[in-house]
């Protein structure tokens, strides 16, 4: 079972998401919160796998709550919920370590798939907004860290494709590799660059002018 916590200040919205998630045999809603402060406490007590986190809430907003949650030992995956397609607050949350963001009006099947995707260790960005979003806040490229030179030529090729948002299967087809081989390369890239997941890889690429 994938354990999920819902965080949103609108009780009606939470109820709808709870009914949707609870309808799935592999998903379980183990807690809810109406503000960021309550969310931190609920996550600490329930130890979920995935948190769906609203950005704009009273008492403590989703950004601050996400930062506190991700600072805990063995934190859950956090997916930000937003009403804006290009949301700079969502971008900041991803830079802090969130695993992606979803629009609140996303199709139900997309939301369910997103929960499973981030639980499996991948990431999700809503509405194919990756390039526009990160170009928005990465106008001045930072110097490329020395550890980037540790990547092999093949790893750099795969890094570039992953940074453009291609999936493992798409990279495999393009590079004539198996998906398992691509997954291994991605894992090595993340380890060498000290990145948590593919969203962090995309952020790294844009911040350092590598795309």
């Amino acid at each position: 079972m994938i354990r999920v916590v819902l965080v949103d200040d609108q009780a009606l919205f939470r109820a709808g998401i709870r009914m949707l998630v609870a309808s799935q045999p592999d998903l379980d809603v183990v807690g809810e919160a109406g503000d960021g402060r309550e969310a931190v406490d609920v996550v600490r007590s329930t130890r979920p796998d995935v948190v769906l986190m609203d950005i704009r809430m009273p008492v403590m907003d989703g950004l601050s709550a996400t930062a506190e949650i991700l600072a805990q030992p063995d934190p859950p995956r956090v997916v930000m919920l937003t009403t804006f397609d290009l949301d700079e607050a969502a971008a900041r949350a991803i830079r802090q370590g969130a695993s992606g963001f979803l629009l609140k009006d996303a199709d139900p099947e997309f939301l369910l798939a997103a929960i499973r995707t981030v639980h499996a260790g991948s990431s999700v960005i809503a509405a194919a907004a990756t390039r526009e979003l990160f170009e928005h806040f990465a106008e001045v490229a930072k110097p490329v860290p020395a550890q980037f030179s540790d990547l092999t030529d093949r790893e750099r090729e795969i890094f570039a494709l992953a940074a453009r948002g291609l999936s493992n299967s798409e990279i495999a087809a393009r590079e004539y590799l198996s998906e398992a081989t691509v997954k291994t390369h991605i894992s090595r890239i993340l380890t060498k660059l000290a990145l948590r997941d593919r969203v962090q890889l995309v952020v790294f690429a844009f911040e350092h002018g590598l795309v």
Side-chain angles (χ1 to χ4, degrees):
M1 294 289 285
I2 301 174
R3 297 162 57 82
V4 181
V5 161
L6 310 176
V7 184
D8 194 284
D9 61 335
Q10 297 179 7
L12 191 59
F13 179 80
R14 289 202 313 273
I17 299 299
R18 181 176 66 249
M19 290 175 61
L20 173 67
V21 173
S23 72
Q24 304 299 299
D26 61 330
L27 305 179
D28 183 26
V29 177
V30 296
E32 296 182 34
D35 62 66
R37 173 49 58 201
E38 185 183 2
V40 173
D41 295 335
V42 169
V43 167
R44 187 176 289 118
S45 63
T46 60
R47 308 300 300 169
D49 300 303
V50 177
V51 178
L52 299 179
M53 176 76 72
D54 189 19
I55 291 179
R56 292 163 181 83
M57 295 180 292
V59 184
M60 176 188 284
D61 64 24
L63 286 177
S64 300
T66 295
E68 285 203 26
I69 288 170
L70 293 178
Q72 297 178 13
D74 191 24
R77 298 281 177 167
V78 180
V79 178
M80 311 306 295
L81 300 174
T82 176
T83 54
F84 305 106
D85 197 353
L86 292 178
D87 191 336
E88 194 164 346
R92 290 201 302 274
I94 289 168
R95 294 173 84 178
Q96 291 174 355
S99 293
F101 75 92
L102 289 172
L103 297 179
K104 283 191 169 185
D105 61 357
D107 290 339
E109 289 304 316
F110 187 78
L111 184 144
L112 294 173
I115 293 172
R116 297 182 178 107
T117 296
V118 298
H119 178 255
S122 296
S123 52
V124 58
I125 301 281
T130 307
R131 179 168 295 274
E132 294 85 351
L133 179 65
F134 292 114
E135 281 181 345
H136 181 63
F137 70 76
E139 296 175 357
V140 180
K142 299 177 182 177
V144 178
Q147 62 261 37
F148 188 73
S149 63
D150 294 337
L151 301 187
T152 65
D153 289 342
R154 172 63 89 180
E155 287 169 348
R156 291 190 190 203
E157 291 173 8
I158 292 175
F159 171 92
L161 295 173
R164 287 164 48 194
L166 274 68
S167 66
N168 285 357
S169 60
E170 291 169 332
I171 294 173
R174 187 160 180 155
E175 296 292 303
Y176 303 102
L177 299 169
S178 70
E179 284 193 49
T181 299
V182 172
K183 187 174 181 180
T184 298
H185 280 304
I186 292 289
S187 179
R188 288 175 179 164
I189 291 166
L190 295 177
T191 298
K192 287 182 178 181
L193 300 179
L195 302 173
R196 176 174 170 173
D197 55 29
R198 292 171 74 110
V199 167
Q200 294 291 298
L201 185 152
V202 174
V203 173
F204 181 97
F206 274 94
E207 286 192 326
H208 299 99
L210 296 171
V211 287

